[in-house]
Amino acid sequence: MCLHLPQLPLDALGPWPEPLAALPVLVWEADGRGARLVCSANPAARSLGAAPGQRLGSAQALAPQALLLARDPVREAAALQRLALALGSLTPCIEIAPPAQLLLDIHASLRLFGGLRALLRRALALARGGGFTLRCGLAATPLAAQWLAAQTDPPTRGARRAPGPRRRCIQLASTRRALQPLPLALVAGFLANPVDKAMDTAADSLQMLQALGARRVADLRRLPRSGLARRGAAAWLDALDRAEGRRPDPRRWFEPPEACRLSLELPHPAEAGPALEAALAPLVQALCGWLALRW
C-alpha cells in the first residue's frame, strides 16, 4: 500500500480551522533562479484559477485575497514521520519515501485486521484524521504501488466526471496490466538521478525515449531491451522489472525513535477545547503507533 500526499506542503502547515479553510491559501517556494512559484494551493484558491507551477505573482492576480505561506520542508518531514508513526499501529513495515509518499507492507496484517477492506479503511482514516489529502495505491510490488498512487485524477468535464485511473491491484497479473497506460513522465520521477553515465538526468533519458515514440510504459516494454541499454536507459528497464515483479526490490523500513517527542505548531490561536482536541488527535494517533512499534 502506498499513500501519496499531493498536498503535503499545504497539509503540513495545518491543521486549518473552518474560517481559514474557506480562505484561499497559496504555498510558495523559490526555484533555482530565485523565482517564487506556487507549490500547493487549497481548493478555494484552485477555484479562482490558481494552481501549482504558476508564478506567485500570477496566482496572486487570480486570487488577490489569498493567504501566502512559504514552504517549510522541516514541517513536511515531521508530518511524514508523524503519519508513519500513526500507521505503525497497522504494520511495522513502513518506508518514508520523500518527498510525499509512505509505503506499507500490509500482507502480514490482513488477517489481524479482518481483511484488506478493513485495513484500508483504518489506514485512510488515520491519514485523513491527520488532516492529509491523499491518494492510495495498492499493488503486488512496492514500486508499482508508488506509481499507481502518484497518478493524477482526470479532469472533470461538465457535470460528468471522467473515470479515475486504476490504483488498486492485488494480483501480480492485474498489477502489470495496470502499469501499461502510465505515462513515462510519471515514472521518471522515481528514477535515480543521474540514471546512467550516458545520460545526465532522468529528463534527458525521457526525451530520448519520447524521440523513439515511447510515451507510456506499454511503449517502453515494446522497445528492444538491448538497444535501450546501449542508449543509456538501463535504469528504466531496471525500474520496470522491479515494478512488474521480475526483479527483487528490497526496502529499508522506518525505524521508530527510542523516545517519542511530538510537537505541533498551530497556524492560528486556539483557546477552545474542541479546536485543541482536533489539533492533538494526530499526535495521540502517532503516540499509539509508536507504542505499537516499540512494544
Side-chain angles (χ1 to χ4, degrees):
M1 177 190 298
C2 179
L3 300 182
H4 181 76
L5 312 175
Q7 292 279 67
L8 181 61
L10 177 65
D11 296 338
L13 298 175
W16 304 97
E18 288 299 326
L20 285 181
L23 182 71
V25 180
L26 298 173
V27 182
W28 62 271
E29 64 178 343
D31 64 6
R33 294 174 293 183
R36 294 183 175 186
L37 302 178
V38 176
C39 61
S40 188
N42 71 344
R46 289 173 180 268
S47 66
L48 298 174
Q54 292 177 338
R55 288 184 174 271
L56 183 58
S58 301
Q60 281 185 280
L62 296 170
Q65 303 299 322
L67 176 64
L68 305 182
L69 299 173
R71 186 174 187 177
D72 191 339
V74 174
R75 293 189 65 168
E76 291 176 32
L80 275 177
Q81 181 167 320
R82 282 200 307 271
L83 183 54
L85 287 173
L87 294 169
S89 61
L90 304 181
T91 173
C93 300
I94 303 169
E95 180 190 18
I96 299 178
Q101 285 190 337
L102 292 173
L103 191 66
L104 294 78
D105 184 351
I106 60 173
H107 182 268
S109 302
L110 295 179
R111 180 177 295 182
L112 176 64
F113 290 95
L116 179 61
R117 291 186 178 180
L119 182 59
L120 180 59
R121 283 195 299 268
R122 284 175 175 257
L124 297 182
L126 284 172
R128 289 170 179 155
F132 294 100
T133 302
L134 75 154
R135 295 195 293 264
C136 178
L138 291 173
T141 66
L143 188 54
Q146 290 182 265
W147 291 1
L148 295 178
Q151 296 179 88
T152 57
D153 292 314
T156 302
R157 297 181 179 179
R160 300 183 61 184
R161 183 176 178 85
R166 187 174 185 183
R167 291 198 177 96
R168 300 177 184 179
C169 307
I170 307 304
Q171 302 300 324
L172 184 58
S174 60
T175 294
R176 291 174 177 174
R177 288 194 299 270
L179 296 179
Q180 303 313 303
L182 296 184
L184 293 184
L186 181 150
V187 175
F190 294 88
L191 296 181
N193 191 14
V195 295
D196 195 277
K197 293 181 179 179
M199 293 288 174
D200 292 334
T201 65
D204 292 337
S205 55
L206 175 61
Q207 291 179 0
M208 181 271 294
L209 292 173
Q210 292 175 340
L212 295 176
R215 299 289 187 275
R216 302 186 178 277
V217 170
D219 302 328
L220 180 64
R221 294 188 79 252
R222 286 193 288 266
L223 294 175
R225 295 178 66 93
S226 58
L228 289 175
R230 288 195 303 270
R231 289 174 176 264
W236 290 83
L237 298 176
D238 174 72
L240 181 61
D241 289 343
R242 288 187 289 118
E244 293 188 340
R246 306 181 194 277
R247 181 172 296 183
D249 189 10
R251 299 298 177 118
R252 184 175 181 178
W253 302 125
F254 167 67
E255 291 288 342
E258 292 290 334
C260 187
R261 296 177 62 89
L262 299 170
S263 62
L264 181 64
E265 181 180 352
L266 299 181
H268 59 90
E271 298 177 355
L276 292 174
E277 290 177 3
L280 288 173
L283 303 186
V284 174
Q285 292 172 348
L287 175 60
C288 292
W290 177 83
L291 289 170
L293 290 170
R294 301 294 303 180
W295 185 257

